[in-house]
Amino acid sequence: MRTSRILTAAAAAAALTLAGCSSDVEGTAVDSETAALAADSGAERQADFDIESLDTGGYNTVPKDFEAEGRLAGDFGPAVEGQRMAEFVVAPYTIDPKLVSGGGMNQGVGVGGLAKLGLLSESVSAISEKYEVITTFSDFQDYADGSHGLGISVVRLPDEASAAAIADELYADELTDGSGGDDIFASGAATPITLPGLPDTQAVTYRWETGSDTVSSYTVNGPHFIYTYATTTPDDPEWAKDITTRALEKQIPLLAGFPYTPTPEIPELVVDMDKVLARAVGYTEDETTRNSELAVYGPLGWLHFDSNPAQTAELFEKTGTDRVAMANSTVYRTASPEGAETVRDAFLAQTRRNYSEVTEDASAPQNVPDTTCMSGDVAEGRMSVCYMTYGPYVAEITGFRPIGNTDPERDSLRTMSQRVATQYVKFVEAEEMGLGEN
């Protein structure tokens, strides 16, 4: 977790009311013999460690094999489908490398409405209520200076007819008065435009009283519609139209390849087919979470949440990282123990570069093996992050205490030690259970 992603994950946790070949690490080759010796040494340390002595608090330490227990998604199915869909939503940075600042509430999985799209007017809410919006996945990113931005959302409806109907109504609403008539910055209706090479896309442009130019678009794709929103400065008006066109040229064929789940089968989705989520810390009965934070993502889906996505994409490719699960810790599955160490070292290096105030701790909480932690005071408060390796897995556990905070429910640093301990026990228990071994 680097730059904003460390604080995003940590702040989210704090807000809960309660995530044989050589390898290169920072340009240094590690030969297979050295890696094997390191792995043997780690295994010996782990074997000598008494997990019964660990304080895990109120966290469950037994990994859940959802599939073996016959626990299907049920009512959580739309969220699981949204997580699957993330792998087929274009990340804005792949269209423009400067689009890596943003996210927040308008990012991730949304269920049962259009809130993640940032469409919050009364008229849009009325339109949304007429249709069964199953799930959405959105990624909104800006330039660092906020001058340019692009959002891409995919919205799932029960069928293509519903997707076409809601897209038509939302487009018509923009042509009526630009924002449903209840936005204080609106100054009239939007203007329809045509995007080159995209005859099936309905698009509008709009000049806001705040001085920015925007382009919105709606494109039906099977039981989905794609929504894009681009914003730019008045001196660069063509940027929004161009970025929207290029984004859709990539998004339309990508979504067409998504093996979406037929609507009646969404409740029957398997929550954790690859047994990676089972290894994450999880939540106590007093803790709650969002749909994007109790999740399993593929490597491309996860990059929507990463603050250095291009660098992390290269790292994932190099180490064979194919699954990322979030549930009060973030667990990465790589192709090998060496790959796990490569990911850990890369994340530690990025943390050092991006947080000069954060330093490595002398020891991990409760002296848990193969765990490296860093802590320090940052602008937003006090933060801590620990990276743990176990076989081909890497776990990332974060804690954050906002400046001036007196509410223990918003202080995730208070549970760091117990979550680190729980993470280790779950790794050990999952291995003993033979749970989804690579």
Side-chain angles (χ1 to χ4, degrees), residues 191-232:
T191 302
I193 59 173
T194 299
L195 299 178
L198 297 168
D200 297 326
T201 292
Q202 301 180 102
V204 301
T205 186
Y206 193 80
R207 168 63 61 86
W208 294 82
E209 289 187 351
T210 52
S212 61
D213 285 347
T214 62
V215 169
S216 302
S217 77
Y218 303 87
T219 309
V220 178
N221 191 310
H224 310 91
F225 78 84
I226 302 162
Y227 170 72
T228 68
Y229 182 83
T231 180
T232 184

Side-chain angles (χ1 to χ4, degrees), residues 175-195:
L175 293 178
T176 301
D177 60 11
S179 64
D182 56 359
D183 193 301
I184 61 172
F185 299 115
S187 59
T191 302
I193 59 173
T194 299
L195 299 178

Side-chain angles (χ1 to χ4, degrees), residues 4 91-93 96-107 139-152 212-214 229-232 239 243 304 306-307 309:
S4 61
Y93 86 93
D96 185 332
K98 295 180 182 179
L99 291 167
V100 291
S101 177
M105 295 303 294
N106 292 337
Q107 184 183 45
D139 191 358
F140 284 69
Q141 300 290 336
D142 302 311
Y143 282 11
D145 63 4
S147 62
H148 298 66
L150 172 66
I152 304 174
S212 61
D213 285 347
T214 62
Y229 182 83
T231 180
T232 184
W239 184 90
I243 201 75
H304 293 286
D306 198 280
S307 59

Side-chain angles (χ1 to χ4, degrees), residues 22-381:
S22 65
S23 57
D24 293 328
V25 181
E26 293 297 300
T28 302
V30 180
D31 61 60
S32 57
E33 183 177 353
T34 301
L37 289 172
D40 290 342
S41 176
E44 185 176 341
R45 287 196 305 275
Q46 292 166 353
D48 293 339
F49 190 78
D50 179 18
I51 64 173
E52 298 297 329
S53 66
L54 292 173
D55 172 17
T56 57
Y59 293 99
N60 172 47
T61 58
V62 180
K64 292 182 180 179
D65 189 338
F66 296 93
E67 188 175 15
E69 295 175 11
R71 298 178 61 180
L72 302 178
D75 292 341
F76 196 62
V80 176
E81 181 72 352
Q83 295 159 17
R84 294 182 65 245
M85 198 161 66
E87 197 79 358
F88 295 83
V89 177
V90 170
Y93 86 93
T94 65
I95 311 300
D96 185 332
K98 295 180 182 179
L99 291 167
V100 291
S101 177
M105 295 303 294
N106 292 337
Q107 184 183 45
V109 176
V111 173
L114 301 176
K116 287 288 184 181
L117 279 64
L119 300 174
L120 303 177
S121 69
E122 291 181 5
S123 59
V124 167
S125 296
I127 293 170
S128 177
E129 290 173 2
K130 293 170 57 177
Y131 297 91
E132 182 187 350
V133 176
I134 294 174
T135 191
T136 65
F137 190 88
S138 304
D139 191 358
F140 284 69
Q141 300 290 336
D142 302 311
Y143 282 11
D145 63 4
S147 62
H148 298 66
L150 172 66
I152 304 174
S153 299
V154 174
V155 182
R156 170 67 187 274
L157 280 296
D159 49 54
E160 185 169 355
S162 299
I166 190 173
D168 285 346
E169 288 203 44
L170 292 170
Y171 172 69
D173 179 68
E174 292 214 53
L175 293 178
T176 301
D177 60 11
S179 64
D182 56 359
D183 193 301
I184 61 172
F185 299 115
S187 59
T191 302
I193 59 173
T194 299
L195 299 178
L198 297 168
D200 297 326
T201 292
Q202 301 180 102
V204 301
T205 186
Y206 193 80
R207 168 63 61 86
W208 294 82
E209 289 187 351
T210 52
S212 61
D213 285 347
T214 62
V215 169
S216 302
S217 77
Y218 303 87
T219 309
V220 178
N221 191 310
H224 310 91
F225 78 84
I226 302 162
Y227 170 72
T228 68
Y229 182 83
T231 180
T232 184
T233 53
D235 60 352
D236 193 12
E238 288 301 309
W239 184 90
K241 184 176 180 180
D242 175 67
I243 201 75
T244 299
T245 301
R246 291 191 288 122
L248 287 172
E249 287 173 344
K250 191 170 184 178
Q251 180 62 75
I252 292 170
L254 181 64
L255 185 58
F258 174 45
Y260 65 84
T261 307
T263 302
E265 298 175 15
I266 289 177
E268 300 174 14
L269 284 167
V270 176
V271 175
D272 186 24
M273 185 178 297
D274 296 298
K275 324 297 186 191
V276 181
L277 184 62
R279 287 170 160 82
V281 169
Y283 297 90
T284 67
E285 292 183 356
D286 297 328
E287 294 174 330
T288 59
T289 186
R290 298 182 298 181
N291 292 319
S292 297
E293 295 166 349
L294 180 62
V296 182
Y297 293 99
L300 299 181
W302 173 253
L303 294 178
H304 293 286
F305 302 98
D306 198 280
S307 59
N308 293 279
Q311 185 175 353
T312 302
E314 186 175 324
L315 179 67
F316 282 178
E317 177 71 21
K318 173 181 173 182
T319 58
T321 302
D322 63 350
R323 289 290 179 272
V324 183
M326 296 177 69
N328 229 349
S329 66
T330 305
V331 177
Y332 304 81
R333 184 176 73 174
T334 73
S336 67
E338 295 80 13
E341 292 175 0
T342 299
V343 169
R344 175 203 60 200
D345 292 346
F347 285 0
L348 283 168
Q350 290 179 27
T351 301
R352 293 187 187 99
R353 285 195 298 269
N354 294 322
Y355 293 100
S356 58
E357 315 94 329
V358 173
T359 58
E360 190 170 318
D361 295 337
S363 62
Q366 303 189 57
N367 296 312
V368 171
D370 297 312
T371 302
T372 304
C373 301
M374 303 185 73
S375 302
D377 294 321
V378 295
E380 298 87 349

